[in-house]
Amino acid sequence: MVASADRRPPASTDVATPSYLPLVLVNLATLFSAIGNGIAIVVLPWLVLERTGRATDAAIVAAQQPFHYSCRACSQGPSSTNSDVVERR
């Protein structure tokens, strides 16, 4: 007869495997955001052109969009990657 202590599985010495799900989800969110921004860059001036019929108004909307993105990026401060590096020091 085999003792009951011999039936137990050996203690696990494996290191926990990392979960890549959060990384995949962040990358998917970034991808969908970039797709939406790309669509908006094309569609908004086109919509203004269709509604007003004036190319000048569409050009104003198209010229304004890069300023919007750069102002938003400047107001958000350092990215999380940079702040993680600074906090680790």
Side-chain angles (χ1 to χ4, degrees):
M1 234 14 297
V2 178
S4 63
D6 293 337
R7 290 186 196 166
R8 289 185 297 174
S12 177
T13 58
D14 294 336
V15 177
T17 58
S19 173
Y20 293 108
L21 182 63
L23 178 65
V24 170
L25 292 177
V26 167
N27 283 334
L28 281 175
T30 303
L31 175 68
F32 291 140
S33 176
I35 290 170
N37 286 338
I39 291 171
I41 286 173
V42 173
V43 169
L44 289 177
W46 189 1
L47 179 65
V48 170
L49 179 63
E50 288 292 321
R51 304 238 338 150
T52 64
R54 296 191 316 219
T56 306
D57 292 343
I60 290 170
V61 171
Q64 178 272 337
Q65 286 178 335
F67 295 115
H68 167 73
Y69 293 125
S70 62
C71 290
R72 185 176 63 182
C74 291
S75 68
Q76 290 177 351
S79 67
S80 62
T81 305
N82 292 337
S83 63
D84 288 344
V85 171
V86 171
E87 290 175 7
R88 288 182 190 161
R89 290 184 187 175

